[in-house]
Amino acid sequence: MATGSFHHCSSSFVLLLFLLQLLSGYGELQSNYYAESCPNAEEIIKQEVAKLYDEHGNTAISWIRNLFHDCMVQSCDASLLLESKHGNGIVSEQASSRSFGMRNFKYVTKIKEALERECPATVSCADIVALSARDSIVLLGGPRIEMRSGRRDGRESYAAVVEEFIPNHNDSMVLVLSRFESIGIDVEGTVALLGAHSVGRVHCVNLYDRLYPTVDPTLDLDYAEYLKGRCPMPDPDPKKVRYARNDKETPMVLDNMYYKHLLTHMGLLLVDQQLASYPTTAPFVEKMASDNGYFQDQFARALLTLSENNPLTGHDGEIRKDCRYINTD
Ligand code: HEM
Ligand SMILES: *[C@@H]1O[C@H](CO)[C@@H](O)[C@H](O)[C@H]1NC(C)=O
């Protein structure tokens, strides 16, 4: 009898341990989450990102902005990728004014298709968003970031609240810092993340206020003249899509040139330029301008936090078959 109850006891103990292990593995991101379910998943993403980069270099830039716009708004759940289609009741976050200028969404579909060919309905769109950004950062000369995977896809769009999470181009530093702080990113990390504006472009609509009718006094005068040339007012050809590159010297390199420009009053957006004058951010701008390695370390740290903001895991959400639409069955 005594032995029997001992056995009973120890087997429930083993069962308990097993359950605990199962539970702890659940609801968490893991490194190489698809090791068993789709061993080539991360390699396929990397290859597709590289292939797209060779054909359309700016896709790599888009994948970095995608991570920000997806993860910052509630969760890294690929809600950004959902599209409105007649009758599906989705209002796409892509239609928010904060998403202005976002591009290359159609190429996310290429990455997803490559994964579906290898392992149908296994790899989430949320992980595509995160891992494609990671791989792009390396292609653009930025740091290599160890990222975990296992995010699942949401079934909701947060279009109605995008503006509560993604700051505007002319918002105050106080507001910008509080937005990032609310998802656990400190001042140093926020300064580093804005360094993503070392690549890509800004459309003239986001610059006119700094150029006309009078030039923003925090803007370098020669640079302002250059920008006026990029963004004439009144526009002689309103049909033309006008923009300025974020970084004239190294527009395709994710480096600390951005901070050097801020120190010489050549920040493009008002939020960019404010980093160099706001008391708590200015010291970090100086340090990042003088030390690319330090910038990269801080960028990697903050981007990792951003990429793990409130993910759906375990049984939450789903694995979308098409990143543009929630599953219908
Ligand atoms: C205060 C926070 C931020 C604001 C207000 C902001 C705003 C903007 C604006 C207005 C543009 C230009 C859009 C256009 O005219 O086409 C832009 C571009 C971009 N942003 Fe941000 N951004 C912020 C933070 C970030 C962060 C944290 C990242 C990534 C880590 C990021 C990545 C990018 C990239 C890569 C582009 C270039 C996109 C392209 O060329 O296609 N931004 N951002
Ligand atoms: C910021 O820019 C928007 C247009 O993009 C404008 O409507 C708004 O008034 C500006 N806000 C401030 C505080 O200047």
Side-chain angles (χ1 to χ4, degrees):
M1 243 2 254
T3 340
S5 88
F6 173 76
H7 272 294
H8 180 73
C9 202
S10 70
S11 63
S12 15
F13 185 64
V14 168
L15 187 70
L16 184 73
L17 278 182
F18 175 74
L19 282 173
L20 277 176
Q21 203 184 10
L22 204 69
L23 278 172
S24 68
Y26 255 86
E28 266 186 44
L29 302 178
Q30 292 168 24
S31 75
N32 204 7
Y33 176 85
Y34 300 105
E36 272 161 43
S37 59
C38 187
N40 292 325
E42 298 205 9
E43 189 55 34
I44 289 172
I45 295 175
K46 193 166 141 195
Q47 280 168 7
E48 291 300 311
V49 166
K51 219 188 310 171
L52 287 166
Y53 173 70
D54 286 342
E55 290 162 18
H56 319 276
N58 53 38
T59 50
I61 292 168
S62 298
W63 306 156
I64 301 173
R65 196 175 181 205
N66 279 3
L67 178 122
F68 172 50
H69 281 244
D70 187 39
C71 292
M72 191 79 186
V73 181
Q74 305 278 24
S75 161
C76 299
D77 59 357
S79 59
L80 170 72
L81 301 180
L82 290 175
E83 291 182 11
S84 318
K85 190 167 76 170
H86 181 70
N88 74 352
I90 293 283
V91 180
S92 180
E93 291 171 27
Q94 295 169 25
S96 161
S97 65
R98 292 289 199 275
S99 311
F100 181 80
M102 294 188 86
R103 46 180 165 167
N104 292 318
F105 288 114
K106 65 179 177 209
Y107 296 119
V108 179
T109 308
K110 298 255 178 224
I111 304 175
K112 177 62 167 170
E113 281 167 359
L115 288 164
E116 289 299 295
R117 280 195 296 274
E118 173 95 357
C119 328
T122 305
V123 182
S124 71
C125 299
D127 276 336
I128 295 176
V129 168
L131 300 178
S132 64
R134 171 186 73 177
D135 296 335
S136 299
I137 288 164
V138 174
L139 290 172
L140 296 170
R144 212 169 277 279
I145 304 173
E146 292 294 326
M147 234 182 229
R148 300 189 293 172
S149 42
R151 298 164 190 77
R152 289 170 62 88
D153 300 324
R155 290 179 53 84
E156 262 180 89
S157 159
Y158 302 113
V161 293
V162 169
E163 297 187 8
E164 291 168 30
F165 294 92
I166 306 280
N168 208 353
H169 61 93
N170 53 3
D171 274 334
S172 71
M173 258 311 115
V174 176
L175 183 130
V176 168
L177 292 174
S178 76
R179 291 282 190 264
F180 283 93
E181 196 196 352
S182 72
I183 65 156
I185 295 175
D186 57 16
V187 175
E188 196 174 19
T190 303
V191 175
L193 278 183
L194 268 287
H197 290 170
S198 161
V199 293
R201 63 178 181 178
V202 168
H203 286 83
C204 292
V205 280
N206 290 315
L207 299 173
Y208 287 138
D209 279 359
R210 301 195 69 204
L211 302 171
Y212 308 103
T214 51
V215 171
D216 178 337
T218 64
L219 197 54
D220 174 85
L221 279 177
D222 290 336
Y223 190 55
E225 283 311 308
Y226 163 79
L227 289 177
K228 282 176 164 178
R230 297 287 310 173
C231 303
M233 177 81 116
D235 196 330
D237 181 3
K239 284 205 207 82
K240 206 167 164 217
V241 179
R242 293 190 186 274
Y243 61 86
R245 301 197 102 168
N246 273 320
D247 173 347
K248 276 199 291 172
E249 283 80 18
T250 55
M252 295 300 285
V253 186
L254 186 62
D255 61 2
N256 67 340
M257 189 67 82
Y258 170 79
Y259 304 96
K260 294 180 185 169
H261 284 152
L262 298 185
L263 293 178
T264 54
H265 303 279
M266 286 162 57
L268 212 41
L269 299 173
L270 199 61
V271 279
D272 295 323
Q273 194 56 59
Q274 283 174 346
L275 289 177
S277 53
Y278 193 73
T280 62
T281 54
F284 296 124
V285 170
E286 295 203 7
K287 214 169 147 191
M288 288 177 201
S290 66
D291 185 345
N292 194 47
Y294 164 70
F295 157 62
Q296 294 207 339
D297 290 347
Q298 290 303 318
F299 183 81
R301 181 181 67 90
L303 194 104
L304 193 63
T305 305
L306 182 60
S307 78
E308 297 196 350
N309 183 35
N310 198 24
L312 298 172
T313 53
H315 291 301
D316 292 337
E318 63 182 16
I319 304 295
R320 261 178 237 156
K321 296 196 191 85
D322 181 329
C323 294
R324 297 169 297 173
Y325 309 111
I326 56 176
N327 295 342
T328 47
D329 43 59

